[in-house]
Amino acid sequence: MTNRHWTRRDLLKAIGASTAGIALDRSALGEVVGRPLGVPLGRTAVPAEKPITAIVAGAGNRGNVYSSYAQKFPSELTIVGVAEPIPFRRGRFSKKYAIPEQHQYRTWEQIFEVPKFADAVIITTPDALHYGPAMAALSMGYDLILEKAIAQTWEQCTDIMRLARQKERIVAICHVLRYAPFFRKMKETAGSGALGRMISIQLIEPVEHIHMSHSFVRGNWRNTAESNPMLLSKSCHDLDLLLWLTARHCRRIASFGSLTWFRKENAPPGSTARCSDGCAVEAHCPYSALTIYYRKRGWLHHMDLPEEGDQGPAILENLQKGPYGRCVYRSDNDVVDHQVVMMDFEDDITASFSMEAHTSYGGRRIRIMFANGDVTGDENTLTVSNFTTGETARWNVLEHADVSSGHGGGDFGLVSDFLQAVRERKPELLPTTIENSMESHLMGFRAEDARAKGTVVDMGSVT
Ligand SMILES: NC(=O)c1ccc[n+]([C@@H]2O[C@H](COP(=O)([O-])OP(=O)(O)OC[C@H]3O[C@@H](n4cnc5c(N)ncnc54)[C@H](O)[C@@H]3O)[C@@H](O)[C@H]2O)c1
């Protein structure tokens, strides 16, 4: 797509709706499932008179994802500053967005040592570096895109929300799945009343074993103190989806789980500290770093590799010295590799959630049970069944939506809505403001309390 604003028609197309409707049988259920997905927030898509300007704190993976919106839609967003300690990343990013030298910073603190020079800050630093830049940016009057998890403690999250309120700033939390066409369709179907009252939800997140090893055993989210517990760093999306889909407050929560497999005592005989140290089982190990990163060239997005020529030598050097070459049984990880959460929502809706590392597949599986039928889905296909009439309808996101921007199309949806909300000074255009995102974060913190104490925890209130 070229430089232009998203019209309502584009949005409908992007979220899977054809203005002519979706070809399904014309049964009652077909009507619900086949109904074009409206823009859920009633947004008016006011054209941008001039682009919103933003500074990026943390030019890593997510910082580049959100910024690429400016490349696609330059009339809506201009990136005017960056803070990034890794010179290679800072240089590459600055070049891409033509950032003047005086606005290329080494660390986030430096952004706030000079007078405000943009509308917004996009905070995509590691989890442990969200609180500092968020508080500093709000104090100076910036609006924010703030990556999840909001911060590392409930108190920090509350501080950020209060300061945002006090300064009347718009803060978008990156619960990007709320923008993904698949989940939007699921939400619309669940909320339609076509199957009667909601009874319960079952959600599983199969993280997939290689993804687990990359992010939560070897990588950035392996250690609670350095990032967050798994429920906040990964599964805050899932808790947020459950809250959003039920549209009820959570009353009580319980959780069990542990780090069972990726531990030193499970290291196979003959294995070594790094896969490249002559490990005796490397050739057959499912977690061989040499296979994942070097032979198959997967999961390379957190390595700084030369953009031209053979990347092989740089990958091997990374595996010999960097975090991704470590044996998965000998890392300094402490986050769980399996966890269940049980939730009691208002109106007696129950929900269960499982985070599973040990799967050969990824992609959330979800089942919602209603008085008269059920909705099941796998992030691609939604199947809606009414067992009182025998009707069934199906909807496949790939047939209807542009899901190319990441998180099933959710990444650009969030940026688009944030820019619209900032332009119009209307936080209500954004379904993932900090206010909307606090309760699911509280669920994560409370579930971790419940897991640690082995009890059922009352949720209390979010103020
Ligand atoms: N919404 C989602 O679905 C989603 C997905 C992945 C990651 N995340 C979150 O996004 C954030 C970033 O994750 P990522 O995958 O981009 O990680 P990343 O490591 O690729 O990027 C983080 C960047 O921050 C930089 N940084 C470190 N210290 C800094 C400092 N003092 N000042 C400025 N920059 C600094 C790092 O050098 C790095 O380039 C994390 O909080 C993560 O949990 C969210």
Side-chain angles (χ1 to χ4, degrees):
M1 228 182 280
T2 51
N3 168 18
R4 63 173 172 74
H5 188 81
W6 278 22
T7 62
R8 182 180 159 84
R9 194 182 173 81
D10 293 330
L11 282 162
L12 286 169
K13 209 168 144 203
I15 62 180
S18 129
T19 42
I22 295 164
L24 279 174
D25 58 316
R26 304 315 308 168
S27 66
L29 261 194
E31 287 292 331
V32 174
V33 180
R35 183 189 304 151
L37 239 186
V39 177
L41 305 165
R43 52 184 288 178
T44 47
V46 172
E49 277 175 21
K50 61 184 175 64
I52 299 293
T53 53
I55 307 159
V56 172
N61 181 34
R62 301 301 298 168
N64 276 283
V65 167
Y66 298 124
S67 303
S68 67
Y69 189 95
Q71 284 196 309
K72 258 192 155 174
F73 305 106
S75 65
E76 290 187 46
L77 176 66
T78 309
I79 306 295
V80 296
V82 65
E84 168 57 55
I86 299 175
F88 173 79
R89 295 185 188 182
R90 189 172 63 245
R92 184 181 52 186
F93 190 89
S94 299
K95 195 170 159 204
K96 198 184 234 178
Y97 295 100
I99 294 171
E101 211 166 317
Q102 79 268 25
H103 290 150
Q104 299 173 21
Y105 303 105
R106 199 175 38 75
T107 178
W108 65 264
E109 289 92 338
Q110 294 169 331
I111 299 172
F112 308 109
E113 287 167 7
V114 297
K116 183 171 183 277
F117 64 96
D119 301 308
V121 180
I122 299 176
I123 299 181
T124 47
T125 37
D127 289 20
L129 298 178
H130 288 186
Y131 182 70
M135 293 297 282
L138 289 170
S139 302
M140 288 184 66
Y142 287 102
D143 294 308
L144 294 185
I145 288 183
L146 174 57
E147 255 304 356
K148 53 83 196 162
I150 297 171
Q152 289 181 295
T153 65
W154 176 245
E155 290 67 31
Q156 290 179 343
C157 295
T158 307
D159 285 351
I160 297 172
M161 183 183 72
R162 289 194 177 140
L163 191 56
R165 273 183 192 164
Q166 189 195 326
K167 298 283 181 180
E168 299 183 357
R169 291 299 94 193
I170 293 172
V171 179
I173 304 300
C174 299
H175 280 142
V176 286
L177 294 179
R178 286 199 189 197
Y179 298 88
F182 173 83
F183 286 110
R184 285 162 90 140
K185 191 69 192 167
M186 179 167 251
K187 164 84 174 158
E188 187 189 274
T189 307
S192 71
L195 297 174
R197 171 181 173 171
M198 188 185 289
I199 305 290
S200 58
I201 306 192
Q202 193 184 42
L203 173 62
I204 171 172
E205 184 181 10
V207 175
E208 199 274 331
H209 63 294
I210 305 291
H211 184 178
M212 178 74 195
S213 69
H214 175 82
S215 297
F216 306 101
V217 179
R218 291 173 163 136
N220 292 350
W221 301 273
R222 69 191 182 282
N223 187 284
T224 310
E226 285 181 29
S227 61
N228 260 313
M230 191 75 163
L231 278 189
L232 271 303
S233 64
K234 178 81 176 125
S235 306
C236 69
H237 279 309
D238 301 277
L239 300 178
D240 186 67
L241 283 175
L242 290 170
L243 192 72
W244 185 55
L245 289 166
T246 56
R248 302 287 191 288
H249 293 296
C250 180
R251 297 186 297 207
R252 293 181 301 163
I253 199 157
S255 180
F256 303 96
S258 58
L259 173 61
T260 299
W261 185 243
F262 298 102
R263 306 168 67 97
K264 290 182 180 52
E265 56 268 35
N266 293 323
S271 58
T272 49
R274 284 180 182 272
C275 302
S276 54
D277 286 351
C279 172
V281 299
E282 183 275 317
H284 308 292
C285 177
Y287 303 106
S288 163
L290 291 168
T291 299
I292 298 168
Y293 302 103
Y294 183 72
R295 297 184 189 113
K296 294 191 174 170
R297 304 283 161 109
W299 293 94
L300 295 173
H301 58 283
H302 281 119
M303 290 185 196
D304 295 321
L305 300 172
E307 278 163 4
E308 284 166 17
D310 181 13
Q311 296 185 326
I315 296 172
L316 285 178
E317 190 186 347
N318 205 296
L319 297 185
Q320 279 151 8
K321 296 183 187 154
Y324 298 106
R326 293 186 288 196
C327 172
V328 291
Y329 302 103
R330 294 184 165 83
S331 185
D332 57 348
N333 56 312
D334 67 1
V335 302
V336 298
D337 51 24
H338 59 121
Q339 184 165 5
V340 293
V341 183
M342 280 73 66
M343 287 146 277
D344 170 37
F345 285 88
E346 289 172 333
D347 291 337
D348 295 336
I349 298 173
T350 52
S352 67
F353 167 66
S354 298
M355 183 287 298
E356 306 292 347
H358 290 88
T359 61
S360 55
Y361 53 90
R364 292 170 174 85
R365 268 65 169 165
I366 185 160
R367 296 165 188 274
I368 312 183
M369 278 58 71
F370 298 84
N372 300 325
D374 55 61
V375 177
T376 64
D378 61 2
E379 295 199 54
N380 283 323
T381 301
L382 197 68
T383 303
V384 187
S385 306
N386 183 328
F387 53 67
T388 65
T389 62
E391 291 172 291
T392 296
R394 283 194 187 79
W395 184 88
N396 187 299
V397 71
L398 299 176
E399 289 168 17
H400 303 292
D402 174 6
V403 294
S404 58
S405 81
H407 288 98
D411 288 347
F412 273 15
L414 175 128
V415 181
S416 169
D417 270 11
F418 172 75
L419 297 174
Q420 184 81 14
V422 169
R423 274 199 298 272
E424 296 188 40
R425 300 309 309 163
K426 283 187 183 166
E428 64 274 17
L429 293 180
L430 205 54
T432 55
T433 59
I434 187 163
E435 308 262 346
N436 297 333
S437 302
M438 289 292 279
E439 186 167 350
S440 56
H441 274 61
L442 185 61
M443 288 164 66
F445 290 116
R446 292 277 196 265
E448 278 301 287
D449 284 350
R451 187 173 73 90
K453 294 178 189 146
T455 55
V456 177
V457 169
D458 283 326
M459 280 290 297
S461 60
V462 184
T463 49

